[in-house]
Amino acid sequence: MIWLLRFILLFLLLYIFYLSIKSLFNSSRKLDSARKHKRFLFLDDEDIRKNFFVTYQGVVFVGEKYMGVKDDSFDVISILIWPDHTAALKGLSKDDFVYLTEKVLEKYPNAKIHWKSPVNEFLQTSRV
C-alpha cells in the first residue's frame, strides 16, 4: 500500500514538472513576454490555415495567410495584417510599418501585404 502511494506521489511530481517545463516554452507566453518588453517577435506556424503573430514595440499584429498559385506552384500570395488592439498603435510611424512589411516579406517573398483599418488609412495619408 505504501509503495502504491509513493508511486502515485512520484508520478504526480513528474507530471507537475512536465507541465511547468511545457508552460515555459509555450508560444503564447513568448508572445506576451515580447509584447511586455517591446521586442520584435515573429511567431508563425507552418500550417497555412493558422494565423501568424508579430510583436513590435509593444503592439501585437495578427496576419492571415491566403494560398494561391504563383509560378506553377502553390504558395502564400496574399497576407492581411491588422493590429490586435488599435489603441496600442500610438507612437508608431510609417517607417515602423515599412519595417514590419519587410520582415513579413522575408518569410513570404511572393506575398502581397494588405493592412486593415486604421493602419491602411494611416499609410495612405502619410504617402501624400
Side-chain angles (χ1 to χ4, degrees):
M1 180 69 164
I2 255 191
W3 289 103
L4 181 63
L5 288 175
R6 287 181 181 170
F7 179 73
I8 290 172
L9 182 62
L10 178 65
F11 177 76
L12 194 63
L13 288 173
L14 289 174
Y15 184 70
I16 290 172
F17 180 72
Y18 166 75
L19 288 179
S20 62
I21 295 297
K22 186 178 172 183
S23 70
L24 280 175
F25 297 107
N26 191 354
S27 59
S28 63
R29 184 181 171 280
K30 289 179 186 178
L31 187 72
D32 194 40
S33 175
R35 181 190 56 80
K36 285 181 183 176
H37 293 98
K38 297 187 177 191
R39 290 180 298 174
F40 176 79
L41 177 69
F42 191 92
L43 195 62
D44 187 19
D45 193 352
E46 294 299 321
D47 189 1
I48 191 69
R49 295 171 293 184
K50 293 186 180 180
N51 294 345
F52 65 83
F53 298 94
V54 178
T55 60
Y56 181 72
Q57 300 212 358
V59 183
V60 177
F61 295 93
V62 181
E64 191 171 302
K65 305 173 271 191
Y66 296 99
M67 183 176 268
V69 178
K70 183 76 170 190
D71 299 331
D72 296 333
S73 66
F74 285 103
D75 201 4
V76 175
I77 61 167
S78 180
I79 295 177
L80 184 62
I81 304 175
W82 65 92
D84 198 21
H85 299 290
T86 56
L89 293 173
K90 183 178 179 183
L92 291 181
S93 67
K94 181 185 177 209
D95 294 334
D96 296 325
F97 294 108
V98 170
Y99 174 76
L100 286 171
T101 303
E102 289 172 359
K103 287 296 187 179
V104 172
L105 286 175
E106 285 178 11
K107 177 83 174 169
Y108 300 105
N110 295 327
K112 187 172 180 184
I113 308 294
H114 304 280
W115 291 91
K116 268 190 176 179
S117 181
V119 177
N120 188 31
E121 287 82 8
F122 172 70
L123 292 176
Q124 288 177 351
T125 59
S126 63
R127 288 181 187 155
V128 176

